[in-house]
Amino acid sequence: MADVHGTVEPGFESVREVFAGIAADEARDGGAQLAVHHHGRLVVDLWGGDGVDGDSLLGLYSSSKGAMALVAALLVQDGVLELDREVASWWPEFAAEGKGKITLRQLLAHRSGVIGADGGLSPEELADDRLIAARLAGQRPFWEPDTGHGYHALAIGALVGEVVLRATGRTIRELFEERVRAPYALDYYLGLPEELEPRFRTALPARPTPAEQAFLDANPVAPDSLTAIAFNLHADPPFDMVGYANSRAVRAQAPLSGGGIGSARGLSRMYAAIAGELDGRPPLLAPETLAEFARIHSEGTDLVTGSENAFGLGFVPLATRHPSLGPTAIGHSGAPGSQAFADPATGLAYSYARRRFGFLSGPGAPENNRLIPAVVEAAKAV
């Protein structure tokens, strides 16, 4: 087994054993981190494999959609945003091309059809949500809004962020810093400060096996498909997913669809503030807000990915993928295979982060299917 570093509280030793096997196998080449809070206490803080330590900052990609959804939920809870209000009521330009009836609820549930731009987005646009929003305001939807759902991979952060900016005069990044990151001292950043750059570890590309490469070669993404449009593969140049987090412009400006940078500790702590009390403060989301954002709003075949999945509002309802979790478990995964969530039913907050991309690991790397049950069982026993 690979060397595993860090600590676990009594009762969570089995989690360390599972993680050690993963660090010796899937996550060895590139390294991985695991952090778990239980009722606000950090009970698992582990890292292993090559290339990272507990303080390393990694590109956690679509995990930033969870931070975006948290700010949106707080604003709904405050009465500042209304889920069933039309997006164009805040952002008039968005009404172009038949988008005038799209609501914030439909947008958060990946039902708007505004998944990308004709001709694609440039690297400069992909690093700046305001530029993406300006392009998408005049964009036609790629299906009739609210007739189906599809993952708004690179668009949802810019769209929701523009609504928040028009409604409040402030960016999600500013609100996240003021209401979440700074008060809880999170090691997770929407906009990585220059002075923290030495802690950043570049994302590493996947190393598919011959069988995995054969599968990829036999199933190319058609350039005119919804998958290509949503992931900007129809652009010139096509989207470079590994290069995305490795771009200083992306790290500095933090596009909300995937530009957040942090450690497993930081993201687990963010979700701990949702799962229950943290630092003597009540949970960030009231039960009724949590229930509404966790409720499944989209379910079935995803028009973009072709997979069977489910979305709440911004968050992914995790019990659909991990039956050991409670009905209001919410979180989000990230392209290299990272996964993070809050489970208020058990008081658990979890974050697994890896540096090297796994094979088709966007919904969360397979090792989460071993780690999460081990965490849940350990928490039940303590």
Side-chain angles (χ1 to χ4, degrees):
M1 285 190 179
D3 288 338
V4 171
H5 307 276
T7 61
V8 296
E9 285 204 355
F12 288 86
E13 294 87 355
S14 59
V15 177
R16 185 186 186 102
E17 293 174 9
V18 175
F19 182 78
I22 288 166
D25 188 4
E26 292 94 339
R28 178 191 60 76
D29 183 15
Q33 302 168 331
L34 176 66
V36 178
H37 286 76
H38 188 219
H39 297 303
R41 214 171 56 252
L42 183 63
V43 296
V44 175
D45 182 21
L46 298 173
W47 60 94
D50 301 330
V52 304
D53 59 30
D55 292 322
S56 297
L57 298 176
L58 306 176
L60 298 178
Y61 287 79
S62 289
S63 298
S64 60
K65 293 181 174 76
M68 172 209 74
L70 175 55
V71 172
L74 289 169
L75 293 173
V76 169
Q77 184 169 272
D78 294 346
V80 174
L81 294 179
E82 301 165 48
L83 289 170
D84 295 311
R85 184 170 162 181
E86 294 165 349
V87 169
S89 69
W90 293 291
W91 180 12
E93 301 95 316
F94 187 75
E97 298 290 338
K99 302 194 301 299
K101 298 298 183 183
I102 294 173
T103 66
L104 178 59
R105 184 187 298 276
Q106 292 163 2
L107 191 59
L108 284 164
H110 295 262
R111 302 184 68 82
S112 81
V114 190
I115 56 171
D118 291 321
L121 298 161
S122 69
E124 292 75 23
E125 288 171 321
L126 288 171
D128 188 334
D129 276 342
R130 295 304 309 282
L131 295 179
I132 296 174
R135 282 287 304 280
L136 298 184
Q139 174 64 47
R140 63 181 175 87
F142 287 90
W143 63 82
E144 185 179 346
D146 206 33
T147 61
H149 76 279
Y151 187 42
H152 291 40
L154 296 170
I156 193 169
L159 295 171
V160 176
E162 191 69 17
V163 171
V164 169
L165 181 61
R166 299 296 183 104
T168 68
R170 307 189 68 195
T171 66
I172 285 181
R173 177 178 168 180
E174 290 168 337
L175 293 167
F176 180 77
E177 178 68 21
E178 177 183 292
R179 300 188 63 171
V180 185
R181 200 213 66 78
Y184 291 97
L186 304 186
D187 201 26
Y188 180 75
Y189 305 89
L190 297 181
L192 185 66
E194 181 73 36
E195 62 268 22
L196 297 183
E197 279 289 324
R199 293 173 54 199
F200 175 70
R201 300 293 177 263
T202 54
L204 300 172
R207 288 182 169 169
T209 65
E212 290 168 346
Q213 187 61 54
F215 175 87
L216 295 173
D217 293 341
N219 295 275
V221 177
D224 59 347
S225 66
L226 293 181
T227 303
I229 293 163
F231 287 92
N232 209 50
L233 301 178
H234 64 317
D236 184 16
F239 180 54
D240 176 3
M241 190 171 290
V242 177
Y244 182 72
N246 292 342
S247 161
R248 173 58 193 164
V250 168
R251 295 196 299 278
Q253 297 179 90
L256 295 168
S257 292
I261 304 293
S263 66
R265 288 176 192 148
L267 206 51
S268 178
R269 188 166 167 81
M270 183 189 89
Y271 280 107
I274 299 173
E277 290 188 4
L278 182 64
D279 298 344
R281 298 182 176 96
L284 280 170
L285 299 182
E288 59 272 19
T289 307
L290 175 67
E292 187 62 14
F293 273 72
R295 181 170 66 84
I296 293 174
H297 282 68
S298 298
E299 189 173 25
T301 303
D302 187 299
L303 296 173
V304 166
T305 67
S307 63
E308 299 297 305
N309 61 19
F311 291 104
L313 294 178
F315 297 107
V316 173
L318 267 294
T320 62
R321 297 181 182 176
H322 301 284
S324 61
L325 300 179
T328 58
I330 53 172
H332 216 288
S333 58
S338 59
Q339 179 69 73
F341 64 80
D343 184 10
T346 59
L348 284 168
Y350 168 103
S351 178
Y352 172 71
R354 54 180 291 161
R355 183 181 180 190
R356 185 177 293 282
F357 277 64
F359 175 67
L360 300 179
S361 57
E367 53 261 39
N368 288 289
N369 297 329
R370 292 147 59 191
L371 286 165
I372 291 171
V375 166
V376 172
E377 288 304 310
K380 286 179 180 177
V382 297

